[in-house]
Amino acid sequence: MKETKRNIAIVCGGDSSEYGVSRRSAYGLYSFFNHDKYNVYIVDIKGLEWNVELNDGIVVPVNKKDFSFTTPQETVFFDYAYITIHGTPGENGILQGYFELVHIPYSTSNLLVEALTFNKYVLNNYLRGFGVNVANSMLVKRTDINKINEKEVESKVGMPCFVKPAADGSSFGVSKVKNVDQLAPALRLAMMQDSDVMIESMLQGTEISIGCYKTKDKSVVFPATEVVSHNEFFDYDAKYNGQVEEITPARLSPETAQKVAAETSRIYDILDCNGIIRIDYIISKNAEGEEQINLIEVNTTPGMTPTSFIPQQVKAAGLEMKDVLADIIENQF
């Protein structure tokens, strides 16, 4: 008897400034999937417009009542949603809540974890309680922007520092602030993306990014990627327009690489993650001159273009993307 192929929706698009990046990730994922094993469709979401893109160029709407679509020939019901939206609604728990309601398994962590990891300020302070090293930070709400005490900021987080949207899936709105005179415009820029803004101490050291996923019977931490930006920091142009050197595996000692992998696995378990996550760190020296691993952020829907960090790391690990994707999907059946 012929085995029925699962219908997989690669869910992309979204309502953030990284709509186009999400689309590129979707096409990357589509190329990675084993099409002999799965029927794979790209589902584009923008606002309330949800459409399935068929191979012949035809676009048909999604029935949001049960996440299906209908052609003149048939009605197709999806078995699984692979979410690759960077930002809202795919990275902050909103879409996860929908899939819970319609009882369709999905590739990311649950809605609580997504909401937690989406807010960098909340996440960092939560993980601090588990002994994870994070930079000093402050939260500024839009209603309090005119009450900012610049001297207090300088005293608490120091200069230079970073100003970034607290809850946003993109690299837009991030500024490196070198003195207090640059603080107000940086806050205004960040607040174009989010009403809550995080001011964070700058950490000096080596920046790395490392992926991880777990199933019922395996735990996989990929080789880390070292990020050497040609810009002042790893901003949007460095991330997406090639203004960066990405070295995989990262130039770490075996001992440091093992510590980073262990910390990544620990954070995955603390958060009770699902699917592939990617964690960014700065490796610095503490006051005693000892190496310290500092978390920058946890990305639960990492980029999946052929040149993104995760595909690089999968290749460096000697694995195939199609097998990793199959691991993640089949783990929930």
Side-chain angles (χ1 to χ4, degrees), residues 3-304:
E3 184 179 353
T4 303
K5 293 162 70 173
R6 299 194 200 280
N7 295 322
I8 308 298
I10 299 174
V11 186
C12 67
D15 304 319
S16 81
S17 47
E18 286 197 280
Y19 174 88
V21 178
S22 172
R23 295 275 304 172
R24 295 203 295 273
S25 286
Y27 289 124
L29 281 164
Y30 189 87
S31 71
F32 297 141
F33 266 101
N34 182 346
H35 293 264
D36 292 330
K37 186 179 180 67
Y38 301 110
N39 297 315
V40 185
Y41 302 86
I42 291 178
V43 175
D44 183 272
I45 289 179
K46 193 166 183 64
L48 294 176
E49 292 292 321
W50 295 22
N51 294 301
V52 181
E53 301 174 3
L54 303 180
N55 292 332
D56 51 10
I58 295 173
V59 174
V60 296
V62 170
N63 182 342
K64 300 184 190 72
K65 291 182 179 179
D66 57 11
F67 200 58
S68 67
F69 69 93
T70 301
T71 69
Q73 293 77 35
E74 61 179 339
T75 295
V76 176
F77 296 91
F78 286 112
D79 300 301
Y80 190 90
Y82 199 103
I83 301 171
T84 189
I85 291 176
H86 311 308
T88 188
E91 202 173 5
N92 57 0
I94 294 174
L95 199 57
Q96 287 76 11
Y98 164 78
F99 286 125
E100 293 285 352
L101 287 171
V102 295
H103 303 292
I104 291 177
Y106 50 88
S107 59
T108 69
S109 305
N110 65 37
L111 62 94
L112 174 61
V113 176
E114 292 298 309
L116 176 62
T117 55
F118 193 64
N119 190 306
K120 301 176 183 70
Y121 181 80
V122 174
L123 174 70
N124 284 12
N125 282 281
Y126 176 74
L127 289 176
R128 193 196 305 270
F130 290 88
V132 176
N133 295 314
V134 296
N136 292 331
S137 61
M138 299 174 62
L139 185 69
V140 180
K141 294 185 175 293
R142 180 171 288 151
T143 51
D144 296 330
I145 189 170
N146 295 321
K147 304 175 187 175
I148 289 295
N149 184 322
E150 295 174 343
K151 293 299 182 184
E152 181 186 354
V153 173
E154 188 171 22
S155 173
K156 184 167 183 179
V157 301
M159 293 287 166
C161 65
F162 284 104
V163 174
K164 60 182 73 173
D168 187 72
S170 75
S171 300
F172 289 105
V174 181
S175 301
K176 182 178 179 181
V177 172
K178 298 179 181 178
N179 56 65
V180 293
D181 294 336
Q182 297 176 344
L183 188 59
L187 286 167
R188 288 194 294 270
L189 179 66
M191 284 181 182
M192 292 174 66
Q193 301 294 322
D194 186 42
S195 59
D196 289 352
V197 172
M198 179 178 179
I199 306 175
E200 186 176 48
S201 298
M202 189 182 82
L203 298 169
Q204 296 280 6
T206 301
E207 184 168 353
I208 62 168
S209 188
I210 182 168
C212 175
Y213 79 95
K214 300 190 180 190
T215 66
K216 297 180 187 76
D217 55 13
K218 70 169 70 171
S219 174
V220 179
V221 181
F222 302 126
T225 297
E226 184 178 344
V227 181
V228 184
S229 177
H230 298 164
N231 300 342
E232 283 208 78
F233 63 96
F234 191 43
D235 60 5
Y236 184 88
D237 281 331
K239 187 180 290 187
Y240 298 119
N241 294 329
Q243 297 173 13
V244 66
E245 185 178 359
E246 300 167 3
I247 303 165
T248 309
R251 295 170 296 185
L252 303 175
S253 70
E255 294 80 8
T256 300
Q258 192 279 327
K259 288 178 184 177
V260 169
E263 183 71 342
T264 301
S265 179
R266 185 173 81 94
I267 292 170
Y268 193 106
D269 291 341
I270 289 169
L271 297 173
D272 194 22
C273 291
N274 177 61
I276 297 176
I277 68 166
R278 198 195 76 226
I279 302 183
D280 301 336
Y281 298 101
I282 294 284
I283 300 176
S284 65
K285 299 286 186 181
N286 63 20
E288 289 73 38
E290 299 167 333
E291 198 168 64
Q292 182 167 297
I293 300 166
N294 308 280
L295 179 137
I296 303 175
E297 65 177 300
V298 176
N299 189 326
T300 59
T301 59
M304 285 293 181

